[in-house]
Amino acid sequence: MAHAAGLLAGQDRLDDVDCATVEWVDWFTHRRLVEPIGDIPPAELKQSYYRQQQESAKAA
C-alpha cells in the first residue's frame, strides 16, 4: 500500500509541474512585455502580423 501511495504522490508532483509549466508558457506568450517589440506580449505581435498579412492579401 505504501508503494501505491508513493506513486500517487509522484503523480501529484508531476501534475504540479505540468500546471506550473502551462502557467509559465501562458505568461511567457501572453503577458510578458518585450521591450524591443514595443512593450507588447509576443502573442499580440503575432496577432498583429497575421492581421496585416490578411489585409495585404485582400488589397492585392
Side-chain angles (χ1 to χ4, degrees):
M1 189 67 149
H3 180 69
L7 289 176
L8 182 58
Q11 183 62 43
D12 288 344
R13 285 191 293 257
L14 285 176
D15 290 343
D16 291 342
V17 170
D18 283 344
C19 184
T21 302
V22 167
E23 289 175 0
W24 182 85
V25 170
D26 179 66
W27 169 84
F28 191 83
T29 305
H30 296 101
R31 294 183 189 89
R32 173 181 60 107
L33 302 180
V34 182
E35 187 177 350
I37 62 172
D39 290 323
I40 61 172
E44 189 175 323
L45 177 67
K46 182 179 178 179
Q47 184 180 30
S48 175
Y49 171 80
Y50 284 111
R51 185 175 33 248
Q52 289 175 352
Q53 295 299 311
Q54 288 176 346
E55 289 170 1
S56 294
K58 288 179 184 177

